[in-house]
Amino acid sequence: MFKLYPTSILDVFVIQPNRNTDPRGDLYELFNERVFPLNTKFDIKQVTYSTSKRGTIRGFHVQPGMSKVMMVLKGHAILSTVDIRPSSPSYKQIVNVPINAKNELKMVYAPDWAARGFIALEDDTTILYFQDGTFNRELSVGFNWASPEVEIKPWVYSGIDPHDYVISDKDKVLPMFSDFENPFARAIV
């Protein structure tokens, strides 16, 4: 069974899988559609695996129609989710979930209307993503992590010098939040 922890953004959850331990080690059930603890259907269509150096920032990205469950398999990261629905009471709010794989196994569920990003706090941080859609470059959009409209204080106070951040060329040129093409700005969600 899973433990489900609500966050300050409705429908964004921290999920803790049940741990079964015996003399051989640990066993975790990460996904079971019959008992997945959300009031939503989540059909896995793609599984993605990333490794990152300390100081790597990925995001913020969003793709309509693709929700994600993210988990840290190795290392330490802050997984962050931003509500980008202008009609939502939690518009522009951010949930930051620090996860250290050495002492906890947690996952973060983020619906398709939530922008996602993270900062790796250790070398070789490994993130596994379960996605209920497949990546589509034409639908995927994002905004710059340094957008002043979305305060990401845990990243800034992570102890990593901003000069040491590792950011892809694609993410470096993402627009600020106020300028990005928000796919939910025109829709009533």
Side-chain angles (χ1 to χ4, degrees), residues 11-142:
D11 295 329
V12 173
F13 296 97
V14 175
I15 305 165
Q16 189 164 19
N18 189 36
R19 177 179 171 181
N20 298 294
T21 302
D22 65 25
R24 300 169 294 174
D26 297 327
L27 175 72
Y28 294 90
E29 185 176 52
L30 300 179
F31 182 81
N32 182 326
E33 70 178 345
R34 289 182 295 119
V35 294
F36 195 61
L38 301 173
N39 294 327
T40 186
K41 188 130 175 82
F42 189 80
D43 292 323
I44 296 173
K45 303 280 194 258
Q46 181 174 325
V47 178
T48 304
Y49 175 100
S50 72
T51 59
S52 300
K53 298 177 180 178
R54 182 178 190 270
T56 293
I57 291 176
R58 295 184 190 256
F60 279 83
H61 307 130
V62 66
Q63 179 179 312
M66 187 169 70
S67 301
K68 289 186 180 182
V69 174
M70 305 163 287
M71 66 182 296
V72 178
L73 291 177
K74 180 181 176 189
H76 190 186
I78 300 172
L79 305 181
S80 301
T81 305
V82 178
D83 186 343
I84 64 166
R85 300 168 299 167
S87 62
S88 170
S90 54
Y91 179 56
K92 296 191 214 176
Q93 285 186 22
I94 186 166
V95 169
N96 296 293
V97 181
I99 300 177
N100 187 334
K102 290 178 186 165
N103 57 18
E104 61 188 343
L105 182 63
K106 290 182 183 171
M107 303 183 288
V108 176
Y109 169 77
D112 72 329
W113 47 258
R116 283 115 7 195
F118 73 85
I119 184 169
L121 302 177
E122 293 180 6
D123 281 334
D124 298 318
T125 292
T126 303
I127 310 284
L128 187 66
Y129 312 81
F130 298 94
Q131 299 155 195
D132 70 351
T134 57
F135 177 73
N136 183 328
R137 190 173 312 281
E138 293 173 14
L139 295 176
S140 182
V141 295

Side-chain angles (χ1 to χ4, degrees), residues 152-183:
I152 309 171
K153 290 181 182 176
W155 293 16
V156 175
Y157 299 119
S158 66
I160 299 171
D161 187 310
H163 294 99
D164 295 331
Y165 289 164
V166 181
I167 305 171
S168 72
D169 291 340
K170 175 187 152 206
D171 285 0
K172 284 180 184 175
V173 297
L174 286 173
M176 291 296 155
F177 185 89
S178 59
D179 297 324
F180 102 105
E181 292 182 36
N182 185 341

